[in-house]
Amino acid sequence: MRVLLIGANGYLGRFVADRLLADPAVQLTALGRGDDADVRFDLASGSPGALTRFLDAVHPGVVVNCAGATRGGARELTRHNTVAVATVCEALRRSGCGARLVQIGCGAEYGPSQPGSSTAEDAVPRPGGPYGVSKLAATELVLGSGLDAVVLRVFSPAGPGTPAGSPLGRLAEAMRRAMQSGDGELKLTGLGAQRDFVDVRDVARAVHAASLSAAQGVINIGSGRAVRLRDAAAILARVAGYGGALHELDGPPGPLRPSIGHPRADSDHVTHAAHASHAGAHAAHTAPVAYPDGCGSWQQADVRTARDRLGWRPRINLEESLGDIWMEAACRI
């Protein structure tokens, strides 16, 4: 099976590439803006005609689009998330390759959800920011293209390679600095949001499964369980071996205490951690870890469609994902 992977050097794309390369039945070609791509092409500025000529030459059976931008102004997000996808769809329509399209969407397309609820694919999207709007527009382009296509709405990816500017990345960096300087107290803000974290390697497995399936439309990819950021912070402290106290400045008083476990209800429940306070030992360190994704205080995916149509379930628990995030943060000098 010939697969054209767009955005192979991105956060998700790297793991998708690894997963596809591990399949001996896949012949992978990477297209992107970087020098290490097999073919250099900028979706945001390249023409559909040029991409069509390349598709006709390579003749892939599947095109996976992991390219896009998560930060920037509305114009930049529109260029990289919407215009780029319009280029892919138009090129595929013009091409004679008949390739299947696997488009990576995001949970931010749904916008805020009712606390305690699970968001299914038939929910009416109401994105709360320009990023979600640009990704939703891309999804609508794909769904209306008439192509053999599926959109994987990935909720909050975590694990190795997590960007340092993301909420979990900033949290790990703040903890690293606190440990490096010997701070006995870490003060944190913006930890009230609850998000559905899914490991990037599980996302890559979902992309692989979607490439081989006949499923179309939108499919949620998440853990199926919302986790409060303050609980993720407490687990990260235990994984990192941080013995200081964690205090949330805009939350309930007192040290944070973890109370969450595995993203799925099974025997791998994460045990509670104790955080000893070294009062007065060092100056407190304060770090914001806000979640400005336009999704409000709560997001949790209904992942039954992924199970039923892709045969996919998340396998990697949040503690392992956080452990990998911490390992990368701890190695920074």
Side-chain angles (χ1 to χ4, degrees):
M1 180 175 67
R2 293 177 182 267
V3 178
L4 175 65
L5 175 58
I6 305 172
N9 293 324
Y11 172 36
L12 296 179
R14 292 194 298 271
F15 291 93
V16 171
D18 289 344
R19 178 72 187 188
L20 293 173
L21 286 170
D23 184 345
V26 171
Q27 182 179 343
L28 186 65
T29 300
L31 182 148
R33 292 181 293 171
D35 292 335
D36 50 354
D38 296 320
V39 178
R40 292 191 64 183
F41 188 86
D42 188 345
L43 287 177
S45 59
S47 70
L51 183 57
T52 299
R53 290 190 291 274
F54 174 71
L55 290 171
D56 288 338
V58 175
H59 213 77
V62 178
V63 173
V64 177
N65 183 25
C66 293
T70 58
R71 296 181 179 277
R75 177 175 296 181
E76 183 179 4
L77 291 169
T78 300
R79 283 183 61 241
H80 291 289
N81 294 337
T82 310
V83 174
V85 172
T87 299
V88 172
C89 290
E90 181 59 25
L92 282 169
R93 278 196 297 263
R94 296 182 188 182
S95 172
C97 68
R100 171 174 172 77
L101 174 60
V102 179
Q103 165 71 15
I104 305 302
C106 69
E109 296 175 43
Y110 289 117
S113 302
Q114 184 68 29
S117 67
S118 292
T119 302
E121 291 84 355
D122 60 358
V124 177
R126 293 185 176 90
Y131 172 62
V133 169
S134 68
K135 293 294 286 185
L136 176 60
T139 292
E140 295 299 332
L141 286 170
V142 171
L143 298 180
S145 67
L147 299 169
D148 174 14
V150 62
V151 177
L152 303 183
R153 273 191 179 143
V154 178
F155 277 61
S156 298
T162 294
S166 70
L168 292 181
R170 292 199 300 272
L171 179 61
E173 177 62 14
M175 197 164 293
R176 183 193 68 80
R177 291 180 178 179
M179 294 178 72
Q180 189 176 45
S181 61
D183 288 341
E185 185 177 40
L186 181 58
K187 293 184 177 181
L188 302 164
T189 63
L191 296 182
Q194 298 183 66
R195 291 293 181 266
D196 187 326
F197 295 107
V198 57
D199 193 273
V200 287
R201 291 157 293 194
D202 281 333
V203 174
R205 288 179 41 248
V207 172
H208 187 205
S211 300
L212 300 173
S213 79
Q216 295 185 338
V218 174
I219 299 178
N220 290 340
I221 303 298
S223 69
R225 181 171 182 180
V227 174
R228 198 179 301 273
L229 275 175
R230 70 169 65 100
D231 294 329
I235 291 179
L236 183 63
R238 182 171 67 81
V239 169
Y242 177 63
L246 303 182
H247 287 282
E248 185 181 3
L249 296 182
D250 52 357
L256 305 182
R257 301 189 183 278
S259 59
I260 66 166
H262 197 288
R264 305 176 299 283
D266 58 25
S267 59
D268 292 329
H269 187 74
V270 179
T271 57
H272 285 201
H275 300 282
S277 174
H278 300 291
H282 297 279
H285 186 80
T286 305
V289 288
Y291 221 124
D293 56 3
C295 294
S297 63
W298 172 277
Q299 262 208 332
Q300 179 173 283
D302 183 331
V303 294
R304 289 176 293 180
T305 301
R307 178 196 63 199
D308 297 341
R309 301 178 67 189
L310 300 181
W312 176 90
R313 296 174 185 267
R315 293 178 180 172
I316 299 174
N317 64 36
L318 181 58
E319 183 176 21
E320 183 175 344
S321 300
L322 289 171
D324 290 327
I325 292 173
W326 172 248
M327 285 296 293
E328 292 182 346
C331 289
R332 296 192 192 108
I333 299 175

